Amino acid sequence: MADARGIEIGLVGDQEKGTASWRFSFFQNSFVRRNGIWQFLNVTIAPLVVANYSDGWGHGGVMPASTVDPVLLDYTTRGTNKPIAQTATADSLEELSRRLSRSYGYEGAESISNAYGFYIDFIDGAACSLMAAIHHPYANKESPFAGFYHTRQRVLEACTQAYGTSARPTRSAISFHWRPQPVIHVSQDGRSASLRARLLQPATDKTAGTIRGGMYHDQMVLDENGSWKLWSLTIDEFYWTMNSWKEGWGGVEVRDKDAPDQPPPRDLVRQYPPDLWLNEMEGEREVGFMGGRERYVSWPEIQRMWFGYRNPVSGGVPENGSYWPGCVPCYQHKPEWGMTKHGWQEPPTGPTLVRAMFAPGNGSSDDGTFISVSVTPGPGEVVEGVVRLVGEQVELEYVLTEKDEGRVTFELPRNLSGGFHLLEATFSGSNRLKPGRDTIDLTLPGGPGSRLGD
């Protein structure tokens, strides 16, 4: 099990009514791991403050005083049991090292994500070099509303083209790039990762201010010097915005339907053309985004939300087809930019679902007992790896290849003793897929009960 607590910040509103409010809540959730997949066990959310946007929370907000008393998680009773001593083997040490590398990978991906946000907050000619330095030499980066630049050098030159080559002595404005709520998937060897994070962008200058929101879809790699670097950076913006501090996000008017589909392109597009223009990306990926294809969707209209990963529990993908895994420009348009072309593993996109079930023909002692094990990956992903079916009297193994299409059927030994049997089906994982597991039970004649499991 695992626990998490924190503060939820809500920016809520109704554009048709012109209302907006802040909501601050306390959450405390518990999670349980079943068959290797983490799931919610319970969710507790308690509101602390609700305040109209125009008035703020300086006088306590508009809801009655909260009776919630957030408490720290109690860990005083945990961790009292000493771990069971085990004899280390070469295989177990190798596996522990791999798992540790994946943990480091999570921290490395989050760290480089935050570093990018800090550098871009204070972007000028001097900061361009710092921002470019955290990219891999063969990285690609989207410049907003323009397109993708390939290689660290091109990323640097696009930045200096837009912001010059020297530091600013003073600043009249600032636009923050906070990247909260990262969802990170680390490769099996711990040397690469995919990250999706929000963009929360408060911005202000001497005359006005705003808050805007977007979504990052990034990839990172561990280079030959042991440093994490950005491999691919994509920003989908803006999903919501406001014109000024005064009106807030509830006071934005619907965009004129007779306005041009797209605003004039950035000067950067003309001065330093990208290697892949947003409006050249065929298909639906850049439809509706500023600088992309067709009419751009502006808040309070609802822009399409894209996901680079599957549902972390069910493994499903969005029903509307908004699934675009991995490096955004690489997926369909520039596959040669992909990390697998340069020796890194593509991180997993979600859980590997393993299901064990009785195969047709069971029920007759003459036919034997058969267990079918299926391994379900994400769309377009190939299943290759070892499937094992193990119990007290069973130890079966099969190596799946692409031609097996993720399925194998085992015949159980015919000399199994009568009674209850619990079997575990496991998939070892691969360079692309996470390991997975499932259990199945049966009771054979001759022991307590007399049935096949279901």
Side-chain angles (χ1 to χ4, degrees), residues 120-123 168 171-177 201-206 208 210 212:
I120 211 75
D121 285 347
F122 301 97
I123 198 66
R168 300 178 189 176
R171 300 188 66 90
S172 60
I174 189 168
S175 181
F176 291 104
H177 297 73
Q201 190 175 37
T204 188
D205 59 31
K206 293 181 178 180
T210 184
R212 298 173 288 207

Side-chain angles (χ1 to χ4, degrees), residues 37-40 183 185 307-319 322-323 348-353 355 376-379 434:
I37 298 175
W38 285 100
Q39 306 174 42
F40 279 103
V183 177
H185 292 83
F307 292 83
Y309 58 87
R310 297 175 285 123
N311 185 292
V313 176
S314 70
V317 298
E319 294 182 357
S322 300
Y323 174 67
T349 59
T352 302
L353 302 182
R355 295 291 180 263
T376 304
K434 292 182 177 181

